[in-house]
């Protein structure tokens, strides 16, 4: 809700480009998944219904993680000036990771239980399933690390070491770099403890950080896309060529004008 005014200003009131559509799908798939997860946790359900709830939630979360990876890939593709060779290599790496996820069958052996006397639905992770699920999160972390390396390398090649800064936002490249660093730092802080719960944690905490990690990922990618749409309508398809400081100045002027209207 905190970013709803910006969403209305930069997404709903502007032409619906592909980047805007990806933002809306990512944002509201997350909302739908969280609503279903809360319903299954607090409403009385049978064991059969519990299994259905859990599977639907997992499908939505898997789709969302795939969408996030797709969004990061497109953003990196645009950052490098639409180099097809880079895109091909990224798709190869992505499909390799997807094949690895399928091969470990991370979600095949998840056990679900319905609490006694009409309680909510919850999951349990046997040791084998826990390891498989942890491997899936490791693969996600590896891909996000790859995107982060690509972003830092491109910024360094374009800006050079003397202007390599996390403080100033002069143009689109600075926005992409800053948000990329913030996204990776945030996901590392959340995902690494999440991964450890699958490998080192006792049964009671296995997977407890998985839903929170998914929510953080969806929130951070939405924030990243909003910042780009606040500069230019192309959003994640912005290129380093769009580096006029006037773009950011225009954004500030628009926000000040909206604030004045609210007063």
């Amino acid at each position: 809700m905190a970013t709803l005014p910006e969403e209305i200003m930069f997404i709903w009131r502007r032409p619906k480009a592909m980047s805007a559509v990806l933002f809306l799908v990512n944002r509201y798939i997350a909302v739908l998944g969280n609503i279903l997860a809360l319903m299954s946790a607090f409403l009385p359900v049978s064991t059969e219904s519990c299994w259905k709830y859990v599977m639907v939630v997992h499908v939505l979360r898997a789709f969302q993680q795939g969408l996030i990876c797709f969004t990061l890939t497109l953003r990196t593709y645009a950052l490098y000036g639409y180099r097809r060779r880079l895109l091909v290599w990224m798709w190869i790496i992505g499909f390799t990771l997807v094949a690895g996820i399928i091969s470990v069958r991370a979600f095949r052996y998840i056990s679900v239980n319905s609490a006694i006397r009409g309680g909510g639905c919850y999951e349990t992770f046997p040791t084998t399933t826990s390891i498989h699920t942890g491997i899936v999160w490791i693969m996600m972390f590896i891909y996000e690390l790859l995107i982060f390396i690509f972003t830092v390398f491109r910024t360094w090649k374009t800006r050079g070491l003397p202007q390599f800064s996390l403080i100033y936002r002069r143009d689109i490249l600075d926005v992409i770099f800053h948000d990329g660093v913030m996204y990776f730092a945030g996901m590392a802080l959340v995902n690494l403890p999440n991964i450890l719960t699958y490998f080192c944690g006792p049964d009671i905490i296995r997977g407890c950080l998985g839903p929170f990690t998914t929510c953080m990922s969806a929130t951070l990618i939405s924030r990243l896309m909003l910042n780009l749409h606040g500069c230019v309508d192309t959003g994640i398809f912005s290129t380093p060529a769009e580096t006029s400081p006037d773009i950011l100045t225009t954004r500030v002027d628009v926000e000040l004008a909206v604030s004045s209207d609210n007063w």
Side-chain angles (χ1 to χ4, degrees):
M1 295 298 294
T3 60
L4 186 59
E6 292 176 86
E7 179 183 336
I8 294 173
M9 182 189 304
F10 300 136
I11 302 295
W12 290 104
R13 291 183 178 177
R14 293 186 181 180
K16 301 301 182 293
M18 183 178 178
S19 179
V21 172
L22 289 174
F23 171 86
L24 293 172
V25 172
N26 170 72
R27 185 172 176 88
Y28 292 102
I29 284 290
V31 173
L32 177 60
N34 288 330
I35 290 174
L36 290 176
L38 289 173
M39 288 175 61
S40 65
F42 293 102
L43 294 180
V45 293
S46 64
T47 302
E48 182 180 356
S49 299
C50 179
W51 173 258
K52 292 178 180 178
Y53 269 116
V54 169
M55 291 311 298
V56 170
V57 169
H58 275 291
V59 168
L60 288 175
R61 286 175 180 166
F63 174 78
Q64 184 159 44
Q65 290 298 327
L67 183 65
I68 289 172
C69 289
F70 179 68
T71 302
L72 291 173
T73 300
L74 291 180
R75 193 203 64 161
T76 306
Y77 175 51
L79 180 62
Y80 277 78
Y82 300 106
R83 295 183 184 177
R84 293 194 176 184
R85 182 179 298 180
L86 174 67
L87 183 63
V88 169
W89 277 108
M90 292 186 70
W91 280 123
I92 291 173
I93 295 171
F95 280 121
T96 301
L97 293 176
V98 169
I101 291 173
I102 295 174
S103 67
V104 298
R105 301 174 183 179
F107 304 120
R108 183 172 180 178
Y109 304 106
I110 288 179
S111 300
V112 297
N113 294 288
S114 181
I116 301 173
R117 297 180 182 176
C121 173
Y122 61 91
E123 299 175 61
T124 57
F125 289 84
T127 302
T128 303
T129 302
S130 179
I131 293 174
H132 289 170
T133 310
I135 292 174
V136 172
W137 284 109
I138 289 174
M139 290 179 178
M140 282 293 301
F141 182 77
I142 290 173
Y143 194 75
E144 290 170 346
L145 176 61
L146 178 67
I147 296 293
F148 174 69
I149 292 172
F150 277 138
T151 302
V152 171
F153 179 76
R154 179 61 174 174
T155 307
W156 175 70
K157 290 290 289 184
T158 304
R159 283 276 186 265
L161 191 58
Q163 300 185 47
F164 205 63
S165 174
L166 279 171
I167 301 175
Y168 302 105
R169 293 193 174 208
R170 293 159 294 188
D171 49 39
I172 295 297
L173 188 58
D174 283 344
V175 172
I176 293 174
F177 173 65
H178 293 176
D179 289 347
V181 171
M182 293 299 104
Y183 176 86
F184 180 75
M187 289 310 302
L189 288 173
V190 174
N191 200 9
L192 290 177
N194 174 49
I195 292 170
L196 290 175
T197 65
Y198 289 103
F199 291 98
C200 307
D203 293 348
I204 194 173
I205 69 168
R206 286 177 182 170
C208 66
L209 293 178
F212 178 68
T213 303
T214 302
C215 290
M216 282 297 298
S217 181
T219 301
L220 289 174
I221 198 69
S222 296
R223 179 73 265 179
L224 181 151
M225 297 175 76
L226 267 182
N227 287 344
L228 287 173
H229 277 277
C231 301
V232 289
D233 289 338
T234 50
I236 61 171
F237 295 99
S238 307
T239 65
E242 300 172 280
T243 55
S244 172
D246 296 335
I247 294 175
L248 297 184
T249 304
T250 302
R251 178 188 176 187
V252 174
D253 291 341
V254 169
E255 292 178 342
L256 288 175
V258 172
S259 300
S260 300
D261 292 340
N262 292 336
W263 285 101

